[in-house]
Amino acid sequence: MEIPIQLQQIVAFTKRDFFSWTSYKTAMTTQLINILIGVFSWGVAASYVQKPVAEMYNSDYVSFLVVGVAIGNLVMPLVQGVERQLNPWTLETVLMTGISIPVFVVGNIAWNYIFSVLTFIPYLLIGTYVFGAHLNVNIPSTILAFIISAAIMMSLAFISTGLRIVTKSTDPITWAINILQSLFAGVAFPVVYLDKIFFPGVSTLSWFLPQTWVYHLSRLAMLTNASLTDPKVLLDFAKGLLFAIVLLPVGYRVLRWGVARSKKEGTLGWY
């Protein structure tokens, strides 16, 4: 049976990027060394501030950060791939090649994603066996959490890309969301900790940020063995899924609007 042409194109893009990466021996070696040193630097820093993370996940700080690294390596590369490959600098060229946009994006992020998955393995192993991370993973919940997370983050990437195609610069909407994420989304600490630092109730704002659900659902699934048969867990997943269901079509529409408007104005290749 003949392999579909779209799959052949994706494989060709992936092989191109892999051979390109391995052809630069010095850059490849220094990148691998940076990853190794980075793993231990991260682990030492996490161990230095190691303390129980009783709020929300009943875990410890090293384990809490391991899940954050998992999100960074398994979800964020999808978002970065969309934003880097679909932008005012590349989109006109893509449309002229005759290759469909999904194939172009998937093909260009495939090797980076595979590499990100591979680099997560030493974080997981060293975090577990050297720095004592304890994961309590529920497989079905983890898979669903990553699917919802990918949908949410891809939606934001579509919105950002659609607006950047028109404005030719950073869009204010996703810029504001990303700025708020650093403080309110629970990237480096549980969001309920905000109530202790500022004033009671301020963490409520966090739940209106889509990125909060990306981190919360993944940590719920990987640190607490959260089962989808538990009504409380199911409710949290339903809330995150609602963000994905709303944002995904909105993001796609914004992307199509940006491309259509730039075509109409003749500015698709401008930057």
Side-chain angles (χ1 to χ4, degrees):
M1 185 174 63
E2 187 178 356
I3 300 175
I5 184 62
Q6 293 85 356
L7 184 57
Q8 293 182 42
Q9 291 170 335
I10 291 172
V11 171
F13 276 119
T14 306
K15 290 173 65 176
R16 178 205 63 183
D17 291 340
F18 170 73
F19 288 125
S20 175
W21 180 69
T22 55
S23 65
Y24 294 93
K25 304 298 183 183
T26 302
M28 182 181 70
T29 303
T30 55
Q31 187 175 9
L32 293 174
I33 292 173
N34 287 340
I35 291 171
L36 183 62
I37 294 176
V39 171
F40 280 97
S41 298
W42 161 85
V44 170
S47 299
Y48 180 72
V49 297
Q50 171 76 312
K51 65 177 182 178
V53 183
E55 307 96 334
M56 301 174 67
Y57 308 113
N58 193 30
S59 184
D60 58 85
Y61 194 61
V62 171
S63 305
F64 183 87
L65 288 186
V66 165
V67 179
V69 172
I71 297 169
N73 282 60
L74 304 181
V75 176
M76 296 308 174
L78 300 174
V79 181
Q80 295 163 357
V82 172
E83 292 181 340
R84 290 173 182 173
Q85 301 303 329
L86 296 182
N87 55 60
W89 300 271
T90 63
L91 192 56
E92 185 177 37
T93 304
V94 175
L95 295 176
M96 292 174 62
T97 61
I99 298 175
S100 68
I101 290 178
V103 168
F104 180 82
V105 173
V106 173
N108 276 280
I109 69 175
W111 165 244
N112 288 332
Y113 187 75
I114 292 171
F115 187 73
S116 294
V117 172
L118 294 176
T119 56
F120 171 64
I121 295 175
Y123 276 96
L124 180 62
L125 294 177
I126 293 174
T128 301
Y129 293 106
V130 178
F131 297 104
H134 302 284
L135 301 182
N136 193 10
V137 180
N138 183 284
I139 300 298
S141 297
T142 300
I143 293 173
L144 182 58
F146 275 91
I147 292 173
I148 293 174
S149 299
I152 289 174
M153 298 308 298
M154 289 286 281
S155 303
L156 295 177
F158 286 154
I159 293 172
S160 174
T161 301
L163 293 175
R164 282 192 301 134
I165 289 171
V166 174
T167 63
K168 314 301 179 187
S169 62
T170 302
D171 69 280
I173 296 177
T174 49
W175 173 83
I177 293 175
N178 290 334
I179 289 295
L180 293 173
Q181 168 190 318
S182 60
L183 178 60
F184 289 100
V187 177
F189 50 82
V191 294
V192 295
Y193 189 64
L194 292 168
D195 295 337
K196 296 181 180 180
I197 298 298
F198 295 109
F199 54 86
V202 68
S203 64
T204 302
L205 297 174
S206 300
W207 302 110
F208 291 96
L209 285 175
Q211 291 98 324
T212 301
W213 295 99
V214 171
Y215 288 93
H216 174 59
L217 294 182
S218 298
R219 286 183 170 127
L220 201 62
M222 297 180 71
L223 295 178
T224 70
N225 192 27
S227 173
L228 295 174
T229 59
D230 186 332
K232 292 182 179 179
V233 173
L234 194 59
L235 179 60
D236 276 352
F237 273 81
K239 292 176 181 177
L241 182 61
L242 180 61
F243 270 90
I245 291 174
V246 171
L247 286 174
L248 199 55
V250 170
Y252 182 68
R253 285 176 178 270
V254 171
L255 177 60
R256 291 192 62 180
W257 166 81
V259 173
R261 176 166 172 174
S262 292
K263 282 183 176 180
K264 183 178 180 180
E265 295 177 349
T267 61
L268 189 59
W270 290 15
Y271 53 90

